[in-house]
Amino acid sequence: DAGITQSPRHKVTETGTPVTLRCHQTENHRYMYWYRQDPGHGLRLIHYSYGVKDTDKGEVSDGYSVSRSKTEDFLLTLESATSSQTSVYFCAALQGLNTEAFFGQGTRLTVV
Amino acid sequence: AQKVTQAQTEISVVEKEDVTLDCVYETRDTTYYLFWYKQPPSGELVFLIRRNSFDEQNEISGRYSWNFQKSTSSFNFTITASQVVDSAVYFCALSEAGEGAQKLVFGQGTRLTINP
């Protein structure tokens, strides 16, 4: 797993509540990513970061925000969770352009 | 904008058959990287191969081989003599070498089932 840890691994939350998922890496990777995985859609990019406090939107960023105040942590926040955000969320990190991405174990989020 | 298309949603073959997974990509950059990842039933994502846009040599690793053709913007993956353990979802991905920000975009994935 190249030192990438996601927390929590599983979470059930109610519609309308805020939720924060954490991705922690220990390898000083510059780039970090949040994806969601849904049947029939593969891995879709939510937000990504190319450095501390440098973030940008992916293809499915609506309803999500991110923060990266330290190299090692990349937080994904659902300000007001909806049932459509029920999914498996993966964090990834990589060192540079010609390196492969390493993934966390995933977080299964259920919004009821 | 960069895009990866894996048109084959699901493939099912009998063990020992050869199978090819297709990947077509779109990018405006001349420098980019292509990847294949495997996601077994356990759920983790496993890196298989990386290829940069300047290296069109095909690669073989055991029963796995990859065919990169810039002329058709394709990076196909072939498993020879498939085995039940090859059953997984396979993802193709594209990374562009832009200034500063680097997006890593995945295709929709192909679910491969190898039947005994």
Side-chain angles (χ1 to χ4, degrees):
Chain A
D1 63 2
I4 298 175
T5 305
Q6 291 184 230
S7 59
R9 294 291 314 280
H10 302 271
K11 186 170 182 67
V12 179
T13 192
E14 293 186 351
T15 298
T17 60
V19 177
T20 295
L21 309 183
R22 181 187 185 225
C23 179
H24 179 77
Q25 54 117 340
T26 59
E27 302 294 325
N28 203 36
H29 292 303
R30 176 182 176 185
Y31 302 94
M32 297 185 75
Y33 306 82
W34 276 107
Y35 296 90
R36 58 178 290 173
Q37 184 175 19
D38 305 289
H41 293 280
L43 289 163
R44 291 183 292 176
L45 182 63
I46 305 171
H47 281 280
Y48 61 105
S49 170
Y50 45 98
V52 173
K53 297 186 180 178
D54 289 323
T55 65
D56 206 347
K57 296 178 180 180
E59 60 184 304
V60 290
S61 59
D62 287 349
Y64 301 94
S65 62
V66 290
S67 67
R68 191 163 178 208
S69 57
K70 299 184 291 184
T71 298
E72 57 266 34
D73 288 323
F74 192 34
L75 304 181
L76 176 70
T77 297
L78 292 66
E79 300 292 346
S80 177
T82 67
S83 58
S84 64
Q85 293 175 312
T86 292
S87 186
V88 178
Y89 291 84
F90 282 96
C91 171
L94 58 87
Q95 189 58 261
L97 300 175
N98 62 345
T99 63
E100 68 268 26
F102 296 98
F103 284 83
Q105 314 95 313
T107 295
R108 184 172 296 276
L109 176 67
T110 303
V111 184
V112 298
Chain B
Q2 61 193 106
K3 183 180 178 181
V4 177
T5 302
Q6 295 178 254
Q8 302 152 307
T9 305
E10 295 190 29
I11 299 175
S12 180
V13 300
V14 176
E15 198 171 20
K16 297 184 183 177
E17 285 186 19
D18 298 348
V19 58
T20 295
L21 309 182
D22 297 332
C23 173
V24 174
Y25 62 92
E26 295 176 29
T27 178
R28 295 181 190 150
D29 279 11
T30 56
T31 301
Y32 52 90
Y33 296 85
L34 295 162
F35 305 83
W36 275 95
Y37 283 82
K38 174 182 180 180
Q39 186 178 42
S42 52
E44 75 272 22
L45 284 146
V46 178
F47 166 78
L48 294 177
I49 190 171
R50 172 183 65 248
R51 172 67 72 229
N52 74 58
S53 54
F54 298 107
D55 182 3
E56 286 194 74
Q57 275 194 323
N58 292 331
E59 181 153 342
I60 298 175
S61 176
R63 297 182 297 105
Y64 295 171
S65 63
W66 290 268
N67 181 271
F68 175 31
Q69 292 196 343
K70 288 179 74 171
S71 60
T72 56
S73 297
S74 65
F75 186 42
N76 297 336
F77 173 30
T78 297
I79 301 175
T80 303
S82 60
Q83 300 176 2
V84 173
V85 293
D86 295 326
S87 295
V89 180
Y90 290 86
F91 291 99
C92 180
L94 166 68
S95 168
E96 291 179 334
E99 193 65 36
Q102 176 193 350
K103 286 175 68 173
L104 178 61
V105 175
F106 285 77
Q108 304 92 318
T110 297
R111 180 177 298 279
L112 176 64
T113 301
I114 310 297
N115 299 298

